[in-house]
């Protein structure tokens, strides 16, 4: 069964460092998303991406965040200068078509900022 | 502020019983509703989605939607200990994003 894969599964970084989280969406999917979940809290939308551009972003997704699809398979989330409060699980998701359809989630990257 | 509300639980049911999970949403523009299951430390796993008023059944799971009351529910029949997890309700409207509730923790005891 096709699945969304994310690497690494766990990343520890020092405050102020840059991190790149990687995702390989399901191959025939065209819409990509990043969500995060701070421990004990709800899953929060960060950004959606289609046709090589951001289609929507949340208030959380400020200038320190960026997304990119560097090739035909990878989808990345970069955090430029990490803060302690960026510690969370980051989930990549993809869907075949937009809006009101099923989004499938990767297994997540646990980011710990120390 | 568009919100999805869920009782955090835990909801405890005996094995074989029906578990009933509920969710309300604030945005009348919401069009589709999703139930995800999340085991501790894992990612959300889609169980089913519903966008029409009424019931939708898939195996042991039935989703119910009442747009007039802004209410969504998930029934799990013949609950198993392996169903013990946090169940996340999510909505989407005319944009791409999913808005999640905080989740209801379900415990199924033997």
């Amino acid at each position: 069964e096709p699945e969304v894969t994310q690497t690494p599964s766990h990343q520890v970084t020092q405050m102020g460092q840059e991190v790149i989280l990687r995702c390989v969406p399901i191959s025939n999917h065209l819409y990509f998303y990043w969500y995060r979940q701070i421990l004990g809290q709800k899953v929060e939308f960060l950004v959606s991406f289609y046709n090589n551009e951001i289609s929507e972003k949340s208030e959380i997704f400020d200038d320190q965040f960026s997304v990119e699809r560097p090739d035909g398979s990878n989808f990345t989330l970069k955090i430029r200068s990490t803060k302690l409060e960026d510690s969370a699980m980051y989930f990549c998701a993809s869907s075949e078509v937009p809006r009101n359809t099923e989004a499938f989630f990767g297994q997540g990257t646990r980011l710990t900022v120390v | 502020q568009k919100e999805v509300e869920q009782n955090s639980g835990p909801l405890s049911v005996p094995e074989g019983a029906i578990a009933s999970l509920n969710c309300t949403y604030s945005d009348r523009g919401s069009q589709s509703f999703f139930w995800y299951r999340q085991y501790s430390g894992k990612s959300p796993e889609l169980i089913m989605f519903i966008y029409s008023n009424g019931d939708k059944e898939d195996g042991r799971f039935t989703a119910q939607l009442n747009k007039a009351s802004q209410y969504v529910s998930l029934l799990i029949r013949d609950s198993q200990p392996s169903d013990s997890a946090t169940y996340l309700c999510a909505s989407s409207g005319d944009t791409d994003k999913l808005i999640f509730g905080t989740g209801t923790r379900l415990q199924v005891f033997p």
Side-chain angles (χ1 to χ4, degrees), chain B:
Chain B
Q1 183 79 343
K2 299 174 183 177
E3 299 278 349
V4 173
E5 301 286 343
Q6 295 182 258
N7 187 320
S8 62
L11 172 66
S12 292
V13 301
E15 185 174 356
I18 295 175
S20 177
L21 303 157
N22 305 313
C23 167
T24 59
Y25 59 96
S26 63
D27 180 18
R28 285 199 173 273
S30 298
Q31 297 172 18
S32 293
F33 304 88
F34 303 82
W35 283 100
Y36 284 85
R37 177 175 61 199
Q38 186 176 34
Y39 293 109
S40 181
K42 303 296 185 182
S43 63
E45 174 192 5
L46 181 66
I47 298 173
M48 61 191 305
F49 66 94
I50 186 168
Y51 50 83
S52 297
N53 271 328
D55 295 0
K56 180 181 178 182
E57 187 173 319
D58 184 0
R60 295 188 297 114
F61 300 96
T62 299
Q64 299 173 318
L65 173 60
N66 183 326
K67 289 188 178 181
S69 301
Q70 296 177 241
Y71 178 88
V72 193
S73 66
L74 179 71
L75 301 178
I76 306 175
R77 286 181 298 283
D78 189 24
S79 295
Q80 301 297 310
S82 57
D83 294 327
S84 298
T86 297
Y87 288 79
L88 309 178
C89 175
S91 70
S92 73
D94 57 357
T95 67
D96 295 341
K97 69 182 179 189
L98 291 172
I99 299 172
F100 282 88
T102 52
T104 298
R105 191 156 63 93
L106 173 66
Q107 294 177 336
V108 181
F109 56 92

Side-chain angles (χ1 to χ4, degrees), chain A residues 10-76:
Chain A
H10 190 191
Q11 172 106 35
V12 180
T13 189
Q14 289 203 322
M15 191 169 53
Q17 295 297 303
E18 174 183 287
V19 294
I20 297 176
L21 309 183
R22 291 184 165 82
C23 169
V24 178
I26 294 173
S27 62
N28 64 329
H29 287 187
L30 301 176
Y31 299 84
F32 315 119
Y33 314 88
W34 284 102
Y35 289 81
R36 80 171 185 188
Q37 187 176 30
I38 295 170
L39 187 64
Q41 297 187 24
K42 64 175 71 175
V43 177
E44 301 174 290
F45 170 79
L46 293 178
V47 66
S48 58
F49 189 87
Y50 168 67
N51 200 26
N52 283 318
E53 61 181 28
I54 291 172
S55 48
E56 187 176 0
K57 60 183 181 180
S58 71
E59 294 175 351
I60 304 167
F61 195 88
D62 61 22
D63 291 345
Q64 71 162 341
F65 290 92
S66 62
V67 289
E68 192 177 34
R69 187 153 164 83
D71 53 44
S73 59
N74 290 285
F75 179 51
T76 62

